[in-house]
Amino acid sequence: MLRSCALVLAVGLVAGCRPEGHPSEPYSPSKPPPYFSADAGLPDDGLEDDAGAVQPPDAGIGDRLDGGDTTPLDAGAPDPLCEAQNPDPPCFEAGCVIEGAGLRMEIVHVESGYRALGVSPLGAILAVRLGDPWSRLWASCDGAKSWAWRGELDAELRHLVVLADGTFLAGTWKRGGHGLSRSTDSGRTWRTALELGDRRMLQPESIAELGGEVFFAEYQATPGEDVVPVHLWASEDGGESWSVRFTFEGFRHAHGLLADPKTGALWAFMGDYTGGILRSYDSGHSWQTVLRSTEAVLVDAVATSKGLLFGTDALYRPLRPAIKLLHTDDSLETLAPLPGPSYSVHALSGEGFLLGTTRETGGDVYGPCDLSARLFGSADGRTWSELLALPRESPFVYCRVDPRWSLPAGEAIIELENVKGLGTHGFLIVRVSGR
C-alpha cells in the first residue's frame, strides 16, 4: 500500500525563473538556521508523531485482508542469491537509450542530489536538496544543471502542487499537526491556508482543479485506524480559503483525485480494502460509486479518450497488480499484469504513457527474489513493455519508480527512491519518442 514521502520543496524554472519571481542568487550559509533537521531524518518515509517518534508507514492493501500479520516478509540481511537476480540496468546514465512498446527513451540526466517535487507553469523543476532541511525550497532553471535557493517555511514541506495560475499549494507538517500552505509569489513567502490536524495531503494528486475550483481529498495520518469520515475540501479562491464540500463514509482514506475537464468529471480514488472508484459530475456535491472492489483500488490514473488508465495498488494475494482500463461505459478491462503495486502513471507530452511500480518491504505478490521497482512504457496505452528495472538499496525502505511530470520541451521527470547506487532519493529526466 502506498506510503507518502515526507518531502520538502524546491523550485526551478527552465527559461523564465525571473518572471516567476525567483532571484538567481545561490544559497548563502549566512541564512538563518533551519526550522527542521536535514533530509536524513526519515529515510523510510515514516511520519513523526508529536513526540518525535517515527510512526509506521501508511498501511492499506498492504494490510492483509484477513487481518493477519503485516510484518515485512523479506526485510533483513540481503540474500546474495536474490541480489544476484536483480542486476543493475545495462545502462543507467545520460545518453543511454532504451526501446520498447513502440517507444524510444533516452536518459538525459540522472540526479542524486535533489528530489523532484514538480514542475512550474514556466518549466521550473521543483525539488528538495538532500541533506538540507525539508523547509527549504530550491530551484533549477536549466534542467537540473544548477540550482538556487528560493525560500524557507516554518514547517516541513512534504508535497507540492502548482495550480494553473502559478499558485503553490503544499502539504506541510510541524509539531502539532499537518496542514496546507499557500504561496502566491513562487515560494518566496508562505501562509497556512488550512489546518488539518491528523489528516494530511498524501501526494500531489490529492489536489485537483476543475471549473475554477480547487479540490483536496484528505488522508488520515494515524496508522492503524479503520474506516473514518474522509473529507473532500473545496476552494473557490485558489486555495486561500477552504470548506468541506463532501464527506465520504465507509472508507479508510482517499488516495487521490483526478479532474477531467473534457467530461466535467471529478474522480476520487479511495483506499484500501474498502476502496474503489467514485465519480462526481456536480463539482463534488454528490458522488456515484463506479466500482467498489479491491480489484479497483488505485493511487493515480490518467484520463484518455477510451477511459481511465491506471495500475492497481495490490500487495497481497489473491489480488494481483495489473494495468487496467476503466472504459467510458464503466466496464473494467485488464491490459497487462504488473510485478508489484503501482502508484504513478503519466501521459507524455506527445503520444504515449509511462507507469511505475514499487517494491515494498512486504507483500506476497512479488516473484521469487524480485527486489526491483520498474518503469513501463506504452505508445498506445494497451501494449506495454518494461523499460527499466532498478534494484533496491535497502530492504527496510520502499524502492519506488514514479513518472510524474513533463517539462515544456516534452522531457519526462521520473522520481526515484531507494534505488541501488543512487541513494535515498533522486530523479531521472528522460526524452521519450515513438520508434
Side-chain angles (χ1 to χ4, degrees):
M1 171 53 213
L2 178 68
R3 292 189 298 189
S4 145
C5 303
L7 305 181
V8 197
L9 272 166
V11 183
L13 319 186
V14 175
C17 287
R18 287 184 180 274
E20 287 192 64
H22 293 275
S24 58
E25 76 275 7
Y27 165 68
S28 167
S30 64
K31 297 287 183 183
Y35 186 82
F36 285 103
S37 58
D39 177 72
L42 295 174
D44 63 351
D45 295 329
L47 296 174
E48 289 190 6
D49 59 22
D50 289 344
V54 176
Q55 300 175 350
D58 309 321
I61 289 296
D63 295 333
R64 290 185 181 274
L65 301 185
D66 60 5
D69 182 25
T70 60
T71 303
L73 303 180
D74 57 5
D79 182 339
L81 294 178
C82 282
E83 297 287 340
Q85 296 181 39
N86 291 263
D88 295 336
C91 188
F92 190 60
E93 60 186 15
C96 293
V97 175
I98 304 116
E99 296 185 344
L103 296 179
R104 179 184 187 274
M105 184 179 79
E106 177 187 358
I107 298 177
V108 177
H109 180 78
V110 180
E111 180 59 58
S112 60
Y114 292 80
R115 177 177 190 168
L117 300 179
V119 176
S120 78
L122 295 182
I125 300 177
L126 314 177
V128 56
R129 190 169 78 168
L130 303 184
D132 254 25
W134 294 354
S135 54
R136 287 181 178 166
L137 191 64
W138 288 81
S140 174
C141 301
D142 54 10
K145 296 181 179 65
S146 64
W147 298 85
W149 180 77
R150 290 312 327 129
E152 189 161 4
L153 283 77
D154 65 350
E156 294 182 358
L157 285 156
R158 297 200 164 189
H159 299 282
L160 172 69
V161 171
V162 182
L163 301 181
D165 66 357
T167 298
F168 287 10
L169 293 179
T172 60
W173 178 84
K174 59 184 176 182
R175 306 291 182 189
H178 299 261
L180 292 183
S181 291
R182 182 175 185 262
S183 172
T184 57
D185 57 6
S186 300
R188 186 186 300 273
T189 60
W190 295 81
R191 77 166 190 86
T192 300
L194 180 63
E195 297 281 2
L196 293 170
D198 64 355
R199 305 300 175 94
R200 63 185 172 95
M201 179 178 172
L202 177 67
Q203 58 168 340
E205 290 76 21
S206 296
I207 290 178
E209 291 183 82
L210 184 66
E213 293 185 293
V214 184
F215 300 92
F216 163 64
E218 63 187 22
Y219 187 98
Q220 61 167 311
T222 305
E225 289 189 17
D226 204 346
V227 296
V228 296
V230 177
H231 298 122
L232 173 76
W233 296 83
S235 172
E236 298 178 355
D237 52 14
E240 184 173 359
S241 61
W242 296 85
S243 60
V244 173
R245 176 64 54 86
F246 191 86
T247 300
F248 301 104
E249 300 285 354
F251 297 98
R252 191 168 183 270
H253 46 234
H255 281 160
L257 299 172
L258 176 67
D260 185 359
K262 291 184 179 179
T263 63
L266 181 64
W267 298 85
F269 310 130
M270 313 302 290
D272 290 304
Y273 54 89
T274 61
I277 303 173
L278 309 180
R279 180 176 57 212
S280 172
Y281 283 116
D282 58 3
S283 301
H285 290 280
S286 63
W287 291 83
Q288 171 194 5
T289 300
V290 179
L291 286 174
R292 185 76 180 268
S293 166
T294 52
E295 297 289 342
V297 174
L298 64 141
V299 175
D300 189 20
V302 295
T304 74
S305 60
K306 297 180 180 179
L308 293 190
L309 181 66
F310 57 90
T312 60
D313 177 13
L315 188 58
Y316 287 101
R317 301 176 184 178
L319 301 176
R320 294 287 187 173
I323 301 172
K324 298 188 178 185
L325 177 67
L326 179 66
H327 287 273
T328 54
D329 64 359
D330 293 344
S331 61
L332 189 64
E333 179 184 7
T334 298
L335 302 178
L338 286 173
S342 173
Y343 299 156
S344 57
V345 59
H346 180 64
L348 297 167
S349 296
E351 294 184 354
F353 305 89
L354 296 176
L355 181 143
T357 69
T358 290
R359 182 50 169 98
E360 298 197 12
T361 54
D364 60 10
V365 297
Y366 301 102
C369 285
D370 183 359
L371 307 178
S372 299
R374 290 172 166 81
L375 178 70
F376 291 84
S378 173
D380 59 7
R382 297 195 63 85
T383 303
W384 292 82
S385 289
E386 179 181 301
L387 299 177
L388 280 174
L390 301 178
R392 69 186 183 189
E393 182 72 43
S394 166
F396 301 102
V397 184
Y398 284 23
C399 178
R400 295 185 57 166
V401 175
D402 291 312
R404 291 200 183 276
W405 309 284
S406 288
L407 294 172
E411 299 94 337
I413 297 179
I414 301 167
E415 207 180 347
L416 303 177
E417 180 177 342
N418 188 34
V419 168
K420 184 179 178 182
L422 192 67
T424 57
H425 303 290
F427 64 89
L428 299 177
I429 300 177
V430 300
R431 184 179 296 116
V432 185
S433 60
R435 284 194 294 180

